[in-house]
Amino acid sequence: MTFLGAPYDLAPVETVLAALAQRCGGEPFRYVVTPNVDHLVRLMRRPELGPLYAEAWQSWCDSHIVRRLGFLFGLRLPHLNGTDVVERIFAEVLRPGDRIAVIAPRPEVLGALARSAPALEIVGHCPPMGFADDDAAMAACIRFVADHPARFLFVAVGSPQSEMLAQRLASAPGVTGTGLCIGAAMEFVSGMKTRAPKPMQNLGFEWLHRLISEPRRLWRRYILGIGPLAMLVAREAVRRVRP
C-alpha cells in the first residue's frame, strides 16, 4: 500500500518477526526500509529515490505521526518502531554464535555493540562521510558485505545512504542475508544513547525526546518538515478523491 508517497506493508510486528526468524544467512539478499516523516519529505523533494523503497522486501511505518495521519484516511498502519524491532531481533531471533554485520557511522558504535552483545559474532565497516556519492567507497561497502556473509546486516549510516547501499547490495552478485536500514537504532540498542521514557514512547513523543536531546542536529529535520508534510497530506487527500 502507498501512503504519502511511500510504500508501507500492513503486517503486524509479530508477523514481521516470524518472517525475519525464517530468514537464513545464505539466502539472496533482501532489505527492509523504515520510512518516517523525514523520509517522506525527502521523497517529495527527490522523487528519483522512490525505487529505493519500492524495491525493498519490507517497508515498515516507523512513525507515530504517519500512523495517526493514516487514521484520517481510514488506514490502520501497524507502527513498527525500528529500535523496538531491532531490540526484539536481538532478544528473540538471533541465536548465540550468529554473525551479524553492521555498516556503522563510527567505530565507537561497533565497540559498544560488541560489549552489549558478547554472544554474537559482530563484523563491521565504517565508510567515510558521503560514501554514497563515492564510487570507490560504495564498492568497498559492497565488497565488505560480500566478503563477510551474515544472517543480518544492519545498515546504520542514515538516510538515504543506507537505502542506496541496500539497493545496490540487492543487485550485487553473491550477496546474501537480510539488510535492515535502521537509522540510529544500533546506538540505542548498544546503550550509547538513551531512549525516551516509556510513557513518552507510548504516547508517540519519542521524536520530541530526541529533539530535546540533540536539538542542534535535529531541529531542522523536525521543524522544517512541518510544511512539506502538510503538502503531502493535501496531495494524498486529492489523490484519494479523484475517480
Side-chain angles (χ1 to χ4, degrees):
M1 184 204 71
T2 300
F3 180 58
L4 300 179
Y8 289 102
D9 292 314
L10 300 180
V13 65
E14 299 300 335
T15 301
V16 167
L17 286 168
L20 290 171
Q22 293 175 1
R23 291 284 294 170
C24 301
E27 297 177 282
F29 186 83
R30 291 178 170 183
Y31 67 97
V32 175
V33 293
T34 58
N36 57 27
V37 171
D38 184 49
H39 295 224
L40 296 176
V41 170
R42 186 182 299 108
L43 278 171
M44 182 182 73
R45 293 169 173 161
R46 299 179 59 187
E48 72 275 10
L49 298 177
L52 303 180
Y53 297 84
E55 296 173 17
W57 172 51
Q58 293 186 13
S59 182
W60 305 340
C61 176
D62 183 18
S63 169
H64 278 292
I65 294 174
V66 173
R67 179 172 179 266
R68 287 168 177 163
L69 288 173
F71 293 156
L72 300 177
F73 297 92
L75 305 176
R76 294 296 182 266
L77 293 171
H79 177 241
L80 278 76
N81 177 278
T83 302
D84 287 343
V85 178
V86 171
E87 287 177 344
R88 292 192 61 178
I89 290 172
F90 273 70
E92 304 171 27
V93 176
L94 291 169
R95 299 180 293 267
D98 274 349
R99 170 187 279 186
I100 64 169
V102 183
I103 303 295
R106 304 181 305 281
E108 293 83 1
V109 176
L110 298 174
L113 189 60
R115 290 189 294 273
S116 67
L120 301 175
E121 180 188 353
I122 298 171
V123 295
H125 176 70
C126 299
M129 290 285 290
F131 76 94
D133 297 318
D134 183 328
D135 290 343
M138 180 67 84
C141 285
I142 296 172
R143 186 165 57 250
F144 166 80
V145 176
D147 291 345
H148 299 83
R151 188 177 178 197
F152 292 102
L153 167 71
F154 296 93
V155 191
V157 285
S159 181
Q161 291 81 207
S162 292
E163 293 80 11
M164 294 170 73
L165 173 58
Q167 185 195 45
R168 290 281 300 274
L169 288 167
S171 61
V175 176
T176 60
T178 303
L180 298 102
C181 302
I182 39 74
M186 289 291 100
E187 296 178 55
F188 292 110
V189 170
S190 67
M192 290 184 69
K193 292 183 178 180
T194 303
R195 296 191 67 181
K198 276 294 182 181
M200 290 187 74
Q201 294 183 39
N202 295 336
L203 290 171
F205 290 122
E206 191 161 14
W207 66 270
L208 180 59
H209 178 268
R210 293 194 64 191
L211 177 59
I212 294 170
S213 301
E214 302 180 79
R216 294 184 64 182
R217 188 174 75 86
L218 296 177
W219 77 268
R220 289 180 181 275
R221 176 190 303 181
Y222 290 133
I223 304 303
L224 299 184
I226 294 174
L229 179 61
M231 186 180 300
L232 281 170
V233 173
R235 287 183 181 179
E236 185 72 21
V238 170
R239 183 177 74 87
R240 289 180 177 271
V241 299
R242 283 178 177 169

Short mmCIF file of all heavy atoms in Angstrom, two decimals, residues 149-197:
data_model
loop_
_atom_site.label_atom_id
_atom_site.label_comp_id
_atom_site.label_asym_id
_atom_site.label_seq_id
_atom_site.Cartn_x
_atom_site.Cartn_y
_atom_site.Cartn_z
N PRO A 149 29.72 -12.68 4.85
CA PRO A 149 28.30 -13.05 4.84
C PRO A 149 27.76 -13.22 6.26
O PRO A 149 28.41 -13.81 7.12
CB PRO A 149 28.28 -14.38 4.07
CG PRO A 149 29.69 -14.89 4.15
CD PRO A 149 30.57 -13.69 4.21
N ALA A 150 26.59 -12.66 6.48
CA ALA A 150 25.98 -12.69 7.82
C ALA A 150 24.49 -12.93 7.67
O ALA A 150 23.89 -12.65 6.63
CB ALA A 150 26.25 -11.38 8.55
N ARG A 151 23.89 -13.42 8.74
CA ARG A 151 22.45 -13.63 8.71
C ARG A 151 21.71 -12.30 8.55
O ARG A 151 20.75 -12.22 7.77
CB ARG A 151 22.02 -14.34 9.99
CG ARG A 151 20.57 -14.78 9.98
CD ARG A 151 20.20 -15.52 11.24
NE ARG A 151 18.81 -15.89 11.24
CZ ARG A 151 18.12 -16.25 12.33
NH1 ARG A 151 18.74 -16.29 13.49
NH2 ARG A 151 16.84 -16.55 12.24
N PHE A 152 22.14 -11.28 9.30
CA PHE A 152 21.53 -9.96 9.20
C PHE A 152 22.62 -8.91 9.02
O PHE A 152 23.68 -8.99 9.64
CB PHE A 152 20.71 -9.63 10.45
CG PHE A 152 19.48 -10.48 10.62
CD1 PHE A 152 19.47 -11.53 11.52
CD2 PHE A 152 18.34 -10.24 9.87
CE1 PHE A 152 18.35 -12.32 11.68
CE2 PHE A 152 17.21 -11.03 10.02
CZ PHE A 152 17.22 -12.08 10.92
N LEU A 153 22.30 -7.93 8.19
CA LEU A 153 23.15 -6.76 8.01
C LEU A 153 22.36 -5.55 8.50
O LEU A 153 21.26 -5.28 8.01
CB LEU A 153 23.51 -6.57 6.53
CG LEU A 153 24.13 -5.22 6.17
CD1 LEU A 153 25.55 -5.11 6.72
CD2 LEU A 153 24.12 -5.00 4.65
N PHE A 154 22.91 -4.82 9.47
CA PHE A 154 22.28 -3.62 9.98
C PHE A 154 22.98 -2.42 9.35
O PHE A 154 24.17 -2.20 9.59
CB PHE A 154 22.35 -3.57 11.50
CG PHE A 154 21.59 -4.69 12.16
CD1 PHE A 154 22.22 -5.87 12.52
CD2 PHE A 154 20.23 -4.57 12.41
CE1 PHE A 154 21.52 -6.91 13.11
CE2 PHE A 154 19.52 -5.60 13.01
CZ PHE A 154 20.16 -6.78 13.36
N VAL A 155 22.23 -1.67 8.56
CA VAL A 155 22.80 -0.52 7.85
C VAL A 155 22.39 0.73 8.62
O VAL A 155 21.22 1.12 8.63
CB VAL A 155 22.31 -0.46 6.40
CG1 VAL A 155 23.12 0.58 5.62
CG2 VAL A 155 22.42 -1.82 5.72
N ALA A 156 23.37 1.34 9.30
CA ALA A 156 23.08 2.38 10.28
C ALA A 156 23.80 3.68 9.96
O ALA A 156 24.36 4.33 10.85
CB ALA A 156 23.47 1.89 11.68
N VAL A 157 23.80 4.07 8.70
CA VAL A 157 24.54 5.26 8.29
C VAL A 157 23.62 6.37 7.80
O VAL A 157 24.05 7.25 7.07
CB VAL A 157 25.59 4.90 7.22
CG1 VAL A 157 26.76 4.18 7.85
CG2 VAL A 157 24.98 4.07 6.10
N GLY A 158 22.36 6.34 8.21
CA GLY A 158 21.45 7.42 7.87
C GLY A 158 20.84 7.28 6.50
O GLY A 158 21.31 6.53 5.64
N SER A 159 19.77 8.02 6.31
CA SER A 159 19.02 8.00 5.04
C SER A 159 19.39 9.24 4.21
O SER A 159 19.59 10.33 4.77
CB SER A 159 17.53 8.00 5.35
OG SER A 159 16.75 7.96 4.19
N PRO A 160 19.51 9.11 2.89
CA PRO A 160 19.20 7.94 2.06
C PRO A 160 20.40 7.03 1.78
O PRO A 160 20.30 6.12 0.98
CB PRO A 160 18.70 8.56 0.76
CG PRO A 160 19.57 9.80 0.61
CD PRO A 160 19.74 10.31 2.03
N GLN A 161 21.54 7.29 2.46
CA GLN A 161 22.73 6.47 2.18
C GLN A 161 22.46 4.99 2.45
O GLN A 161 22.89 4.12 1.67
CB GLN A 161 23.91 6.95 3.03
CG GLN A 161 24.45 8.30 2.64
CD GLN A 161 23.64 9.46 3.23
OE1 GLN A 161 23.60 10.53 2.67
NE2 GLN A 161 22.98 9.24 4.37
N SER A 162 21.78 4.70 3.57
CA SER A 162 21.53 3.31 3.93
C SER A 162 20.71 2.61 2.85
O SER A 162 21.02 1.49 2.43
CB SER A 162 20.79 3.23 5.27
OG SER A 162 21.61 3.66 6.33
N GLU A 163 19.65 3.27 2.40
CA GLU A 163 18.79 2.66 1.39
C GLU A 163 19.50 2.53 0.04
O GLU A 163 19.30 1.54 -0.69
CB GLU A 163 17.51 3.49 1.24
CG GLU A 163 16.60 3.48 2.45
CD GLU A 163 17.03 4.43 3.55
OE1 GLU A 163 17.93 5.27 3.30
OE2 GLU A 163 16.48 4.34 4.67
N MET A 164 20.34 3.50 -0.28
CA MET A 164 21.09 3.42 -1.54
C MET A 164 22.03 2.23 -1.53
O MET A 164 22.15 1.50 -2.52
CB MET A 164 21.85 4.73 -1.77
CG MET A 164 20.95 5.92 -2.01
SD MET A 164 21.80 7.53 -2.00
CE MET A 164 22.67 7.44 -3.56
N LEU A 165 22.70 2.02 -0.40
CA LEU A 165 23.59 0.87 -0.29
C LEU A 165 22.80 -0.43 -0.35
O LEU A 165 23.20 -1.37 -1.05
CB LEU A 165 24.39 0.94 1.01
CG LEU A 165 25.25 -0.28 1.34
CD1 LEU A 165 26.26 -0.56 0.24
CD2 LEU A 165 25.95 -0.10 2.69
N ALA A 166 21.69 -0.49 0.37
CA ALA A 166 20.89 -1.72 0.39
C ALA A 166 20.40 -2.08 -1.01
O ALA A 166 20.41 -3.26 -1.40
CB ALA A 166 19.71 -1.56 1.34
N GLN A 167 19.97 -1.09 -1.77
CA GLN A 167 19.52 -1.36 -3.13
C GLN A 167 20.65 -1.91 -3.99
O GLN A 167 20.45 -2.85 -4.76
CB GLN A 167 18.94 -0.10 -3.76
CG GLN A 167 18.33 -0.34 -5.15
CD GLN A 167 18.09 0.96 -5.89
OE1 GLN A 167 18.97 1.84 -5.91
NE2 GLN A 167 16.93 1.10 -6.51
N ARG A 168 21.83 -1.33 -3.84
CA ARG A 168 22.99 -1.82 -4.60
C ARG A 168 23.33 -3.25 -4.20
O ARG A 168 23.66 -4.09 -5.05
CB ARG A 168 24.18 -0.90 -4.36
CG ARG A 168 24.06 0.48 -5.00
CD ARG A 168 24.36 0.45 -6.48
NE ARG A 168 25.70 -0.02 -6.74
CZ ARG A 168 26.80 0.76 -6.75
NH1 ARG A 168 26.66 2.07 -6.49
NH2 ARG A 168 27.98 0.27 -7.00
N LEU A 169 23.25 -3.55 -2.91
CA LEU A 169 23.56 -4.90 -2.44
C LEU A 169 22.57 -5.92 -2.99
O LEU A 169 22.94 -7.06 -3.29
CB LEU A 169 23.54 -4.94 -0.91
CG LEU A 169 24.70 -4.23 -0.21
CD1 LEU A 169 24.40 -4.06 1.28
CD2 LEU A 169 26.01 -5.01 -0.40
N ALA A 170 21.31 -5.52 -3.13
CA ALA A 170 20.29 -6.44 -3.62
C ALA A 170 20.53 -6.88 -5.05
O ALA A 170 20.06 -7.95 -5.46
CB ALA A 170 18.90 -5.80 -3.49
N SER A 171 21.27 -6.08 -5.80
CA SER A 171 21.56 -6.44 -7.18
C SER A 171 22.99 -6.91 -7.39
O SER A 171 23.39 -7.24 -8.51
CB SER A 171 21.28 -5.24 -8.11
OG SER A 171 22.11 -4.14 -7.77
N ALA A 172 23.78 -6.94 -6.31
CA ALA A 172 25.18 -7.36 -6.42
C ALA A 172 25.26 -8.88 -6.40
O ALA A 172 24.60 -9.53 -5.56
CB ALA A 172 26.00 -6.77 -5.28
N PRO A 173 26.04 -9.48 -7.27
CA PRO A 173 26.12 -10.94 -7.31
C PRO A 173 26.75 -11.51 -6.05
O PRO A 173 27.73 -10.97 -5.52
CB PRO A 173 26.99 -11.21 -8.54
CG PRO A 173 27.76 -9.95 -8.77
CD PRO A 173 26.88 -8.85 -8.31
N GLY A 174 26.16 -12.59 -5.54
CA GLY A 174 26.74 -13.32 -4.42
C GLY A 174 26.47 -12.75 -3.04
O GLY A 174 26.91 -13.33 -2.05
N VAL A 175 25.75 -11.65 -2.94
CA VAL A 175 25.46 -11.07 -1.63
C VAL A 175 24.25 -11.77 -1.02
O VAL A 175 23.23 -11.96 -1.69
CB VAL A 175 25.22 -9.55 -1.72
CG1 VAL A 175 24.84 -8.98 -0.37
CG2 VAL A 175 26.47 -8.86 -2.25
N THR A 176 24.35 -12.14 0.24
CA THR A 176 23.28 -12.88 0.90
C THR A 176 22.87 -12.21 2.22
O THR A 176 23.56 -11.31 2.70
CB THR A 176 23.72 -14.33 1.20
OG1 THR A 176 24.88 -14.30 2.05
CG2 THR A 176 24.05 -15.07 -0.08
N GLY A 177 21.78 -12.70 2.79
CA GLY A 177 21.34 -12.21 4.09
C GLY A 177 20.18 -11.23 4.00
O GLY A 177 19.59 -11.03 2.93
N THR A 178 19.88 -10.61 5.12
CA THR A 178 18.78 -9.66 5.22
C THR A 178 19.31 -8.34 5.74
O THR A 178 19.92 -8.29 6.82
CB THR A 178 17.68 -10.17 6.16
OG1 THR A 178 17.23 -11.45 5.71
CG2 THR A 178 16.50 -9.21 6.20
N GLY A 179 19.11 -7.28 4.99
CA GLY A 179 19.57 -5.96 5.39
C GLY A 179 18.45 -5.15 6.01
O GLY A 179 17.32 -5.18 5.52
N LEU A 180 18.77 -4.45 7.09
CA LEU A 180 17.79 -3.60 7.75
C LEU A 180 18.35 -2.18 7.84
O LEU A 180 19.38 -1.96 8.48
CB LEU A 180 17.45 -4.12 9.15
CG LEU A 180 16.81 -5.51 9.19
CD1 LEU A 180 17.86 -6.55 9.59
CD2 LEU A 180 15.65 -5.56 10.17
N CYS A 181 17.67 -1.24 7.17
CA CYS A 181 18.08 0.17 7.22
C CYS A 181 17.40 0.78 8.45
O CYS A 181 16.21 1.10 8.41
CB CYS A 181 17.65 0.87 5.94
SG CYS A 181 18.31 0.12 4.43
N ILE A 182 18.16 0.93 9.53
CA ILE A 182 17.53 1.17 10.82
C ILE A 182 18.03 2.45 11.52
O ILE A 182 17.89 2.57 12.74
CB ILE A 182 17.70 -0.06 11.76
CG1 ILE A 182 19.10 -0.71 11.64
CG2 ILE A 182 16.67 -1.10 11.43
CD1 ILE A 182 20.20 0.06 12.25
N GLY A 183 18.58 3.39 10.78
CA GLY A 183 18.93 4.68 11.36
C GLY A 183 19.85 4.56 12.56
O GLY A 183 20.87 3.88 12.52
N ALA A 184 19.45 5.20 13.66
CA ALA A 184 20.28 5.24 14.86
C ALA A 184 19.99 4.10 15.83
O ALA A 184 20.45 4.14 16.98
CB ALA A 184 20.09 6.57 15.58
N ALA A 185 19.26 3.08 15.40
CA ALA A 185 18.84 2.01 16.32
C ALA A 185 20.03 1.34 17.00
O ALA A 185 19.95 0.96 18.18
CB ALA A 185 18.01 0.97 15.57
N MET A 186 21.15 1.16 16.29
CA MET A 186 22.30 0.50 16.89
C MET A 186 22.83 1.28 18.09
O MET A 186 23.31 0.69 19.06
CB MET A 186 23.42 0.33 15.86
CG MET A 186 23.16 -0.70 14.78
SD MET A 186 23.15 -2.41 15.38
CE MET A 186 21.39 -2.70 15.51
N GLU A 187 22.73 2.60 18.04
CA GLU A 187 23.22 3.41 19.15
C GLU A 187 22.33 3.27 20.38
O GLU A 187 22.80 3.36 21.51
CB GLU A 187 23.34 4.87 18.71
CG GLU A 187 24.38 5.05 17.61
CD GLU A 187 24.48 6.49 17.13
OE1 GLU A 187 24.71 7.38 17.97
OE2 GLU A 187 24.32 6.72 15.92
N PHE A 188 21.04 3.05 20.16
CA PHE A 188 20.14 2.82 21.29
C PHE A 188 20.28 1.39 21.81
O PHE A 188 20.33 1.17 23.03
CB PHE A 188 18.70 3.08 20.86
CG PHE A 188 18.40 4.52 20.57
CD1 PHE A 188 18.16 4.95 19.27
CD2 PHE A 188 18.36 5.46 21.59
CE1 PHE A 188 17.89 6.28 19.00
CE2 PHE A 188 18.09 6.79 21.33
CZ PHE A 188 17.85 7.21 20.03
N VAL A 189 20.36 0.42 20.90
CA VAL A 189 20.47 -0.98 21.31
C VAL A 189 21.76 -1.22 22.09
O VAL A 189 21.79 -1.98 23.07
CB VAL A 189 20.41 -1.90 20.07
CG1 VAL A 189 20.77 -3.34 20.42
CG2 VAL A 189 19.01 -1.86 19.46
N SER A 190 22.85 -0.56 21.69
CA SER A 190 24.14 -0.76 22.35
C SER A 190 24.28 0.05 23.64
O SER A 190 25.26 -0.12 24.35
CB SER A 190 25.27 -0.36 21.39
OG SER A 190 25.24 1.03 21.13
N GLY A 191 23.33 0.93 23.91
CA GLY A 191 23.40 1.74 25.11
C GLY A 191 24.14 3.06 24.96
O GLY A 191 24.31 3.79 25.93
N MET A 192 24.57 3.39 23.74
CA MET A 192 25.27 4.65 23.53
C MET A 192 24.35 5.85 23.73
O MET A 192 24.79 6.92 24.17
CB MET A 192 25.88 4.70 22.13
CG MET A 192 27.04 3.75 21.91
SD MET A 192 27.76 3.96 20.26
CE MET A 192 28.52 5.59 20.42
N LYS A 193 23.09 5.68 23.38
CA LYS A 193 22.09 6.73 23.55
C LYS A 193 20.94 6.18 24.38
O LYS A 193 20.66 4.97 24.36
CB LYS A 193 21.57 7.22 22.19
CG LYS A 193 22.60 7.98 21.36
CD LYS A 193 21.98 8.49 20.07
CE LYS A 193 22.98 9.30 19.25
NZ LYS A 193 22.38 9.80 17.98
N THR A 194 20.27 7.08 25.08
CA THR A 194 19.15 6.69 25.93
C THR A 194 17.84 7.00 25.24
O THR A 194 17.64 8.10 24.70
CB THR A 194 19.20 7.45 27.27
OG1 THR A 194 20.46 7.19 27.91
CG2 THR A 194 18.08 7.00 28.19
N ARG A 195 16.94 6.04 25.26
CA ARG A 195 15.63 6.24 24.65
C ARG A 195 14.74 7.08 25.55
O ARG A 195 15.00 7.27 26.74
CB ARG A 195 14.96 4.89 24.37
CG ARG A 195 15.72 4.05 23.36
CD ARG A 195 14.89 2.86 22.93
NE ARG A 195 13.71 3.28 22.17
CZ ARG A 195 12.80 2.43 21.69
NH1 ARG A 195 12.92 1.13 21.92
NH2 ARG A 195 11.77 2.87 21.00
N ALA A 196 13.66 7.56 24.98
CA ALA A 196 12.68 8.33 25.76
C ALA A 196 12.06 7.44 26.83
O ALA A 196 12.00 6.21 26.67
CB ALA A 196 11.60 8.84 24.81
N PRO A 197 11.59 8.03 27.91
CA PRO A 197 10.86 7.24 28.91
C PRO A 197 9.67 6.54 28.27
O PRO A 197 9.09 7.03 27.29
CB PRO A 197 10.41 8.30 29.93
CG PRO A 197 11.37 9.43 29.75
CD PRO A 197 11.72 9.45 28.29
#
